[in-house]
Amino acid sequence: MHPSHLAPYAARRTRLLADMGAGLAIIPTAPERPRNRDNYHPYRADSYFWYLTAFPEPEAVLVLAGPRHPGEAPQSILFCRDKDEEQEIWQGFRYGPEGARTAFGFDAAYSINELDARLPELMADRPTLWHSLGHDSAWDERIATALNGVRAQARAGKRAPEEIRDLRSRLDAMRRVKDHHEIAVMGKAAAIGSAGHLRAMRACRPGMMEYQLEAELSYEFRRLGADGHSFNPIVAGGRNACTLHYDSNHQALKDGDLVLIDAGCEVEGYASDITRTFPVSGRFTSVQKDVYEIVLASQAAAIAASRPGVPFMTPHEATVRVLTQGMVDLGLLQGSVDGLLENGDYKRFYMHRTGHWVGLDVHDAGPYKDGDSWTLLQPGMTVTVEPGLYLRPGPGVPEALAGIGIRIEDDILITADGCAVYTTAPKTVADIEAVMRHDA
Ligand code: GLY
Ligand code: MN
Ligand code: MN
């Protein structure tokens, strides 16, 4: 994870500080996780910490200190690892506090080894401590120790914060509406993610293994500069596509089957999340095409319904109506569409929601309801639109349809007057067949 610009991160700290009053916020990054012995999982910063710093090293904590009295300047303080020549020879470059302060624009920076000693002084005489209580018990204990450190100085006139609040709700509200920098970076993640899907379509041949198609995506993501996958990719041939989270990707792709790929990449911490379903052979059968067109039309209905002021669930409702009509047309369900929507029978073949926020986390932070009502879409929100039909073999599923699983997923940005679909891999029957025409 390496940021292309740092100013947006500083601007977010300033915004948050303006919102925090005289409080003190403590935002640690993620710990490194051992895989076995001295071998570690690839490091990924905590999303909240990254959102406010773009600082890539583990063992770092951001402290935001609001002004305690008029005239005191708000401060962004980083605690991070010291420079260490021996460690840098083995593990690579470390900024060190002074290097981090100047490179990332913090007001002050100290060694992470000084954190516990400095926290009581930083906490003293502030009304509020912003800390995500319960997120990590080791941190809860560390904070409690620091609070007791302040309380021990009561006779010296120091007061400990009386209120502990969760910063995540403030940050979630900020993260739900993307700024220009985030939109630009997510555009890159979408372009590279889309290129990966295109490469997989072009490479696909009957007899290949699902993991070999996964390798095409991985290759393209890294070749084009993404950090890697934004979640475990799903490459599901034939009826594997009816298992929503199938990701073992270990089976052979058969001529005559469809393959569903749900995969996205991560760029500077930001995810794309894209699903395409296409024929292993490059040509849809007429039955596959019938089902595919229903899913595609239901996606178009959701996209058409996505604009500012519309409740989050409205695009989902538009999708479900088109899919349910399709289920009736295919002979999967009997009855009126309104009746089937009412009794929920459609959930047998479409059991998930049509979208989620996407951003630093693939299922991004941010509430879906404000009060008791579904959030109203607003410009800057980024959402997936991912309808599907999953026709698991079973009673009432005609033989010709049994085992077909189709999902089509794009990422959209809500704009001033509608939305922009910013993932671009081919998705009409004609476009998919054209890119897969191996002799062309
Ligand atoms: N790839 C996870 C999802 O589509 O929600
Ligand atoms: Mn997905
Ligand atoms: Mn998704």
Side-chain angles (χ1 to χ4, degrees):
M1 288 162 92
H2 288 281
S4 47
H5 296 286
L6 292 170
Y9 296 86
R12 290 175 206 143
R13 295 195 292 273
T14 304
R15 247 181 91 191
L16 194 59
L17 274 162
D19 203 24
M20 276 172 37
L24 187 88
I26 299 171
I27 305 143
T29 195
E32 283 186 295
R33 299 281 184 203
R35 189 160 180 270
N36 48 47
R37 293 188 188 263
D38 56 354
N39 171 23
Y40 285 79
H41 284 287
Y43 184 68
R44 167 67 158 70
D46 174 79
S47 294
Y48 293 111
F49 177 85
W50 179 261
Y51 180 73
L52 294 169
T53 64
F55 188 69
E57 295 180 19
E59 294 186 83
V61 178
L62 174 67
V63 175
L64 296 175
R68 275 172 290 198
H69 48 76
E72 191 178 53
Q75 282 219 311
S76 294
I77 306 163
L78 184 79
F79 289 84
C80 68
R81 299 185 302 196
D82 288 310
K83 286 202 74 68
D84 179 332
E85 193 178 348
E86 175 72 9
Q87 284 296 325
E88 291 186 56
I89 287 169
W90 286 89
Q91 316 288 357
F93 174 79
R94 295 178 174 195
Y95 280 94
E98 186 51 24
R101 189 185 65 74
T102 50
F104 291 80
F106 298 108
D107 300 305
Y110 302 104
S111 165
I112 189 73
N113 300 325
E114 293 179 34
L115 179 69
D116 293 318
R118 287 186 180 271
L119 269 182
E121 184 57 35
L122 284 163
M123 285 178 182
D125 300 330
R126 294 181 186 279
T128 308
L129 180 64
W130 296 88
H131 161 65
S132 300
L133 195 67
H135 178 63
D136 177 335
S137 56
W139 269 102
D140 292 349
E141 207 173 310
R142 206 164 174 182
I143 299 289
T145 303
L147 276 171
N148 286 335
V150 192
R151 289 172 190 140
Q153 297 174 58
R155 268 176 292 143
K158 305 271 188 207
R159 276 196 316 229
E162 288 187 2
E163 185 184 43
I164 298 187
R165 296 184 64 180
D166 196 333
L167 191 65
R168 283 177 294 188
S169 56
R170 300 286 170 113
L171 281 168
D172 288 350
M174 281 174 76
R175 284 176 56 184
R176 201 171 60 172
V177 179
K178 273 64 183 174
D179 61 31
H180 292 299
H181 172 69
E182 294 183 285
I183 291 166
V185 175
M186 290 177 74
K188 271 194 237 170
I192 297 174
S194 302
H197 280 265
L198 178 60
R199 185 182 177 92
M201 284 179 194
R202 290 200 163 124
C204 188
R205 301 283 187 282
M208 276 176 81
M209 302 302 286
E210 292 165 339
Y211 55 74
Q212 291 177 314
L213 269 194
E214 176 186 329
E216 298 291 336
L217 290 149
S218 306
Y219 176 82
E220 197 68 351
F221 291 171
R222 287 300 278 152
R223 190 180 77 82
L224 296 175
D227 291 328
H229 288 268
S230 51
F231 54 90
N232 293 336
I234 295 169
V235 182
R239 68 179 53 179
N240 293 339
C242 297
T243 302
L244 294 179
H245 291 161
Y246 175 86
D247 63 4
S248 61
N249 305 350
H250 68 294
Q251 293 188 9
L253 296 164
K254 294 199 209 78
D255 202 358
D257 275 355
L258 296 170
V259 55
L260 179 156
I261 301 182
D262 184 348
C265 65
E266 191 170 293
V267 173
E268 294 179 40
Y270 286 85
S272 53
D273 183 10
I274 304 168
T275 307
R276 289 293 183 263
T277 310
F278 54 89
V280 170
S281 68
R283 300 277 299 173
F284 286 87
T285 65
S286 100
V287 160
Q288 289 167 348
K289 199 185 301 187
D290 290 345
V291 183
Y292 190 89
E293 294 290 7
I294 291 165
V295 179
L296 191 60
S298 77
Q299 196 206 32
I303 291 168
S306 299
R307 58 180 176 278
V310 162
F312 174 79
M313 276 308 244
T314 301
H316 173 71
E317 286 156 7
T319 284
V320 169
R321 179 165 285 278
V322 174
L323 289 176
T324 304
Q325 178 67 59
M327 293 175 207
V328 172
D329 296 344
L330 291 169
L332 290 160
L333 294 179
Q334 285 76 40
S336 75
V337 169
D338 285 325
L340 295 164
L341 290 173
E342 183 71 26
N343 67 22
D345 279 0
Y346 67 86
K347 289 182 185 159
R348 182 169 161 213
F349 304 112
Y350 182 54
M351 58 298 279
H352 60 76
R353 278 207 316 215
T354 304
H356 53 81
W357 312 129
V358 57
L360 281 173
D361 302 340
V362 64
H363 291 176
D364 205 26
Y368 290 89
K369 280 195 168 175
D370 295 310
D372 289 335
S373 310
W374 292 106
T375 294
L376 302 182
L377 296 178
Q378 54 176 295
M381 289 177 164
T382 45
V383 202
T384 65
V385 187
E386 48 178 306
L389 277 177
Y390 311 97
L391 313 181
R392 242 172 213 288
V397 179
E399 181 67 25
L401 297 173
I404 292 180
I406 293 173
R407 178 164 65 255
I408 306 170
E409 176 175 28
D410 283 294
D411 303 345
I412 66 169
L413 167 69
I414 305 300
T415 57
D417 54 2
C419 72
V421 181
Y422 65 94
T423 44
T424 58
K427 69 176 171 184
T428 65
V429 166
D431 286 351
I432 289 172
E433 291 189 344
V435 303
M436 294 186 74
R437 203 164 289 134
H438 303 310
D439 53 356

